[in-house]
Amino acid sequence: MKKGNLFVVSGPSGAGKSTICRLVRKMLNINLATSATTRKPREGEVNGRDYYFLTIPEFEEKLRNGEFLEHAKVHENYYGTLKAEVESRLAAGENVILEIDVQGGLQVKEQYPDANLIFFKTPTMEDLERRLRGRKTDDEATIQLRLKNSIKELEYEKMYDTSIVNYTVDDSCGHLIRIIEEKSIED
Ligand code: 5GP
């Protein structure tokens, strides 16, 4: 059976990639892998839906057991993609989206050279700061850390296959859907 395609969406946090990935998941009925993290849940986040929220020892145990496809420390917390969220779906011919950071994206590319790496960003840094403040989920120190890290993350854009600039939700969803559909036509 033909394997499914893997799409990796990365970019500065606050750029809007979660919103776009969730909308595209609904529109295309495509798999969006649920990541594991040691970060504390934000208000409204549900374990098993938004993330698998783990303690540091739980995360480290899974790491030792080789359960992660990739993992990274992002903004001082661990994040990782469980193989169980990806491998069987690809093997069954289903497409999968990973919404992960740039370090994880490059680890995935090493293991899946055909993975399509999509870099997602706001038109300007001012837009990013406005969005981070607007979502009112993070304190000032966290916002500052995320802004500082976004400058480093932007350096990875050149290692990605495609970029999406998030002007509007509609445009960005359309762009991501086109990338996914074009890849499926190629096959
Ligand atoms: P947040 O805490 O805002 O949900 O996510 C922070 C950052 O961690 C985002 O850039 C997000 O893409 C990244 N991230 C989420 N899940 C994973 C994962 O499984 N692996 C890696 N490497 N990064 C992740």
Side-chain angles (χ1 to χ4, degrees):
M1 183 194 275
K2 173 80 188 70
K3 280 196 173 174
N5 294 314
L6 188 54
F7 300 90
V8 175
V9 178
S10 305
S13 56
K17 54 190 191 302
S18 303
T19 308
I20 304 300
C21 288
R22 273 155 214 221
L23 285 169
V24 169
R25 167 175 53 184
K26 276 202 196 134
M27 289 174 187
L28 297 184
N29 195 21
I30 188 173
N31 296 295
L32 176 61
T34 303
S35 295
T37 184
T38 59
R39 151 167 96 58
K40 297 277 166 291
R42 295 188 184 121
E43 207 180 311
E45 284 184 328
V46 175
N47 187 34
R49 184 192 70 187
D50 299 290
Y51 279 106
Y52 298 110
F53 292 101
L54 304 180
T55 61
I56 293 175
E58 284 168 345
F59 194 99
E60 287 174 344
E61 191 186 344
K62 288 189 185 301
L63 200 54
R64 274 196 304 277
N65 293 340
E67 292 182 49
F68 286 108
L69 175 63
E70 63 73 34
H71 76 284
K73 202 165 190 189
V74 190
H75 313 313
E76 296 174 350
N77 291 299
Y78 284 116
Y79 293 83
T81 308
L82 293 159
K83 290 178 182 167
E85 287 283 311
V86 179
E87 290 177 344
S88 57
R89 289 165 173 171
L90 289 179
E94 296 175 20
N95 293 334
V96 181
I97 303 179
L98 306 182
E99 193 245 290
I100 62 177
D101 92 308
V102 287
Q103 309 166 73
L106 296 185
Q107 291 175 46
V108 170
K109 189 78 175 177
E110 272 179 28
Q111 298 173 66
Y112 291 91
D114 289 340
N116 203 318
L117 301 194
I118 302 150
F119 194 89
F120 200 84
K121 63 180 187 179
T122 51
T124 66
M125 283 301 281
E126 288 73 31
D127 291 316
L128 182 66
E129 182 162 358
R130 202 172 323 115
R131 292 184 61 101
L132 276 172
R133 292 192 186 287
R135 65 185 191 181
K136 296 191 167 67
T137 49
D138 302 310
D139 58 22
E140 184 59 26
T142 307
I143 290 172
Q144 289 304 332
L145 179 67
R146 285 175 180 242
L147 282 172
K148 196 173 124 222
N149 288 348
S150 70
I151 296 168
K152 282 189 233 148
E153 284 166 326
L154 285 166
E155 290 172 12
Y156 285 74
E157 184 179 6
K158 53 183 176 298
M159 292 172 239
Y160 272 60
D161 298 308
T162 327
S163 294
I164 295 179
V165 181
N166 191 13
Y167 287 104
T168 67
V169 170
D170 280 357
D171 274 0
S172 298
C173 281
H175 196 160
L176 183 54
I177 289 172
R178 266 198 316 281
I179 292 169
I180 294 169
E181 289 181 341
E182 277 167 16
K183 181 84 181 166
S184 304
I185 292 167
E186 270 173 33
D187 294 339

